[in-house]
């Protein structure tokens, strides 16, 4: 895979490593198309084979993901001790799952949404691509510039 836009210190992750990292966290940001604009929803998910599964209530998110429009989900993490961060993006489509007894006894048992209320719909994200990057988080002083300094720099 080409390394377009990545710094030399950015490691492009293989698909196997992306799935390993996705299994380590349970929160992602789901990007979907809603009517005439993009929208983003936080979702708690679990990995089920090479797919992600999340629960949701009826509403905007469910309508958006069960249409024909592609979606994306991004999850990330950072090791506070080493300063190494990662980001994984899945792109694909979703389908609502008919919850069988086997499904409810296995996959559904580990889905715990952060927000209360009924979440009676189960959705599976079937990725067409899985990409990821790992990189060192730089100290803020290496990228932060105050507005005063930016204004002066523009005038000089």
């Amino acid at each position: 895979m080409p390394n377009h836009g990545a710094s030399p210190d950015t490691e492009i992750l293989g698909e196997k490593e992306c799935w390993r990292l996705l299994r380590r966290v349970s929160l992602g940001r789901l990007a979907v198309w809603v009517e005439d604009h993009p929208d983003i929803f936080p979702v708690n998910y679990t990995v089920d084979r090479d797919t992600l599964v999340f629960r949701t209530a009826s509403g905007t998110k469910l309508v958006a993901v069960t249409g024909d429009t592609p979606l994306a989900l991004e999850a990330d993490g950072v090791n506070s001790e080493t300063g190494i961060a990662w980001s994984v993006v899945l792109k694909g489509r979703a389908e609502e799952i008919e919850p069988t007894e086997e499904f409810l006894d296995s996959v559904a048992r580990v889905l715990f949404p952060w927000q209360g209320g009924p979440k009676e719909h189960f959705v599976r994200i079937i990725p067409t691509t899985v990409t990821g990057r790992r990189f060192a988080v730089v100290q803020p002083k290496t990228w932060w510039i105050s507005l005063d300094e930016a204004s002066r720099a523009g005038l000089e």
Side-chain angles (χ1 to χ4, degrees):
M1 167 191 322
N3 196 2
H4 300 297
S7 75
D9 298 329
T10 300
E11 176 188 0
I12 302 301
L13 303 175
E15 192 170 325
K16 184 176 180 179
E17 178 66 0
C18 289
W19 284 110
R20 187 185 74 75
L21 292 168
L22 287 169
R23 285 180 175 86
R24 293 176 53 191
V25 297
S26 62
L27 178 68
R29 284 153 298 284
L30 178 68
V32 296
W33 192 258
V34 177
E35 295 177 6
D36 62 348
H37 62 277
D39 211 339
I40 298 176
F41 299 93
V43 294
N44 299 94
Y45 69 83
T46 189
V47 174
D48 181 32
R49 295 179 289 276
D50 288 342
T51 67
L52 295 185
V53 177
F54 68 92
R55 295 174 76 154
T56 190
S58 297
T60 304
K61 186 184 341 169
L62 182 62
V63 170
V65 299
T66 54
D68 290 333
T69 307
L71 56 80
L73 183 132
E74 186 268 346
D76 53 39
V78 64
N79 182 322
S80 60
E81 293 176 10
T82 64
I84 302 297
W86 60 269
S87 176
V88 172
V89 175
L90 287 93
K91 296 176 185 171
R93 62 179 184 81
E95 62 185 26
E96 190 168 359
I97 300 169
E98 187 62 41
T100 63
E101 188 174 326
E102 178 185 349
F103 174 82
L104 293 173
D105 285 342
S106 60
V107 178
R109 291 178 61 108
V110 296
L111 283 171
F112 301 104
W114 285 3
Q115 185 180 24
K119 309 281 187 200
E120 64 276 4
H121 299 277
F122 294 90
V123 176
R124 182 180 307 280
I125 298 175
I126 303 159
T128 53
T129 63
V130 180
T131 59
R133 295 173 181 223
R134 186 178 356 251
F135 52 93
V137 176
V138 297
Q139 296 298 320
K141 64 183 176 189
T142 63
W143 54 264
W144 178 260
I145 183 168
S146 74
L147 293 178
D148 288 338
E149 292 173 23
S151 297
R152 268 197 311 269
L155 296 174
E156 296 174 355

